[in-house]
């Protein structure tokens, strides 16, 4: 079975209350890997909690594309044993044209070189607008990927790609080994989830309609996303379970996704 991880943003309320207890519960559920977010601000806390639980963090999310001092992020990642740093969010207004796509790819390429200086890989994580926004009928994400250097990597959020109208398994097959990780999430892919966007400042700042739609996300295998075909299309990728929001106990949600993956991702 490939590496299975969990994006800790899913558990953000528990982490805000008690990081150590939240990670201990993740380990008790059966996860051996996690994907931290905003780890630069709490590098010492994450270092302590990872060591105490024995959890490893092969990948992590941090805002690097617009960072004034990217090396600070890469140094924190190296300290935590994070080998792949992923920028999780560039808002839709910067994904409108072919020039936009090239500009972002150039920045990712530059940061990929800087990350390599720290022994790390660097890449980007999509939402829906990179696929919804078209240039001459093509998703702007395709143009972006074409301009990336071979060393740059991608983490494909397969739920958001599906919401954005993409055939996620086909996208993964086209991108091949460049995809080092996928976000595994499931739920409804139409309605407010497809049409309402977060703020341009942060993916964490969402309007009420989108927040409500997030809560329709369900454990893997229970929603509209063709998760089995997605897994088959990216056998090499780290599987990162994530919920943007969850109507029930989110620890039960991530446990259910892990159980489903253990049964179905051979």
């Amino acid at each position: 079975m490939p590496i299975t991880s969990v994006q800790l943003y899913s558990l953000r309320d528990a982490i805000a209350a008690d990081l150590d207890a939240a990670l201990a519960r993740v380990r008790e559920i059966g996860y051996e890997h996690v994907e931290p977010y905003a780890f630069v601000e709490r590098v010492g806390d994450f270092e302590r909690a990872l060591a105490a639980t024995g959890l490893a963090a092969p990948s992590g999310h941090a805002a690097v594309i617009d960072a004034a001092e990217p090396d600070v992020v890469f140094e924190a990642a190296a300290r935590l044993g994070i080998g792949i740093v992923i920028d999780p969010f560039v808002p839709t207004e910067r994904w409108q044209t072919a020039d936009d796509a090239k500009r972002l790819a150039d920045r990712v390429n530059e940061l990929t070189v800087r990350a390599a200086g720290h022994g790390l890989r660097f890449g980007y994580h999509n939402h829906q607008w990179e696929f919804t926004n078209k240039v001459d009928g093509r998703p702007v994400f395709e143009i972006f990927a074409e301009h990336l250097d071979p060393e740059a990597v991608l983490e494909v959020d397969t739920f958001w790609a599906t919401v954005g109208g993409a055939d996620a398994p086909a996208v993964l097959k086209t991108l091949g080994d460049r995809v080092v990780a996928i976000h595994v999430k499931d739920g409804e892919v139409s309605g407010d989830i497809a049409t309402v966007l977060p703020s341009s400042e942060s993916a964490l700042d969402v309007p009420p309609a989108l927040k409500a739609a997030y809560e329709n996300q369900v454990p893997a295998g229970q929603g509209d996303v063709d998760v089995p075909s997605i897994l088959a299309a990216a056998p090499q990728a780290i599987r990162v379970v994530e919920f943007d929001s969850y109507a029930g106990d989110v620890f039960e949600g991530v446990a259910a996704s892990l159980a489903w993956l253990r049964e179905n991702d051979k």
Side-chain angles (χ1 to χ4, degrees):
M1 179 179 172
I3 290 174
T4 302
S5 182
V6 59
Q7 167 53 248
L8 294 178
Y9 173 70
S10 309
L11 313 171
R12 56 195 175 276
D13 293 339
I15 285 171
D18 190 330
L19 173 64
D20 298 85
L23 264 62
R25 189 166 177 190
V26 167
R27 188 67 187 89
E28 289 168 7
I29 287 169
Y31 284 93
E32 297 179 2
H33 302 87
V34 295
E35 185 173 71
Y37 68 99
F39 55 84
V40 180
E41 294 80 1
R42 301 191 66 182
V43 63
D45 293 337
F46 273 111
E47 189 173 38
R48 179 189 65 247
L50 291 171
T53 57
L55 288 163
S59 60
H61 278 197
V64 193
I65 288 173
D66 293 333
E69 298 181 352
D71 291 313
V72 173
V73 178
F74 296 143
E75 289 163 4
R79 179 175 166 184
L80 296 176
I82 294 171
I84 305 167
V85 177
I86 299 291
D87 193 303
F89 177 83
V90 172
T92 184
E93 59 264 26
R94 291 166 63 187
W95 291 94
Q96 298 295 316
T97 68
D99 285 344
D100 287 343
K102 185 178 186 304
R103 188 178 304 111
L104 287 165
D106 287 346
R107 177 61 171 162
V108 170
N109 292 337
E110 173 193 343
L111 290 166
T112 296
V113 173
R114 293 183 71 163
H118 297 269
L120 310 174
R121 290 186 286 176
F122 179 71
Y124 182 70
H125 159 283
N126 63 280
H127 287 82
Q128 81 264 46
W129 49 84
E130 297 93 338
F131 291 93
T132 302
N133 298 345
K134 303 289 200 302
V135 177
D136 296 329
R138 300 176 64 206
V140 69
F141 188 86
E142 286 187 11
I143 301 167
F144 167 72
E146 288 174 355
H147 286 291
L148 292 176
D149 289 343
E151 296 78 14
V153 300
L154 293 168
E155 178 178 60
V156 175
D157 190 309
T158 59
F159 176 82
W160 285 119
T162 303
V163 168
D167 178 339
V171 169
L172 294 170
K173 290 175 183 176
T174 298
L175 294 171
D177 289 345
R178 183 185 295 283
V179 179
V180 295
I182 56 174
H183 272 191
V184 177
K185 67 177 78 163
D186 209 344
E188 297 180 9
V189 299
S190 59
D192 287 338
I193 199 88
T195 57
V196 181
L197 300 177
S199 82
S200 61
E201 299 301 320
S202 171
L204 313 185
D205 182 7
V206 300
L210 189 54
K211 185 175 186 298
Y214 280 174
E215 293 176 355
N216 291 323
Q217 290 179 9
V218 296
Q222 297 183 21
D224 297 338
V225 179
D226 186 358
V227 182
S229 294
I230 283 167
L231 299 175
Q236 78 289 346
I238 300 169
R239 284 76 164 100
V240 185
V241 170
E242 184 185 39
F243 294 94
D244 295 292
S245 188
Y246 191 66
D249 182 329
V250 70
F251 284 100
E252 293 178 2
V254 299
S257 283
L258 179 62
W260 187 91
L261 285 166
R262 283 176 168 170
E263 181 65 26
N264 294 278
D265 188 22
K266 303 298 187 181

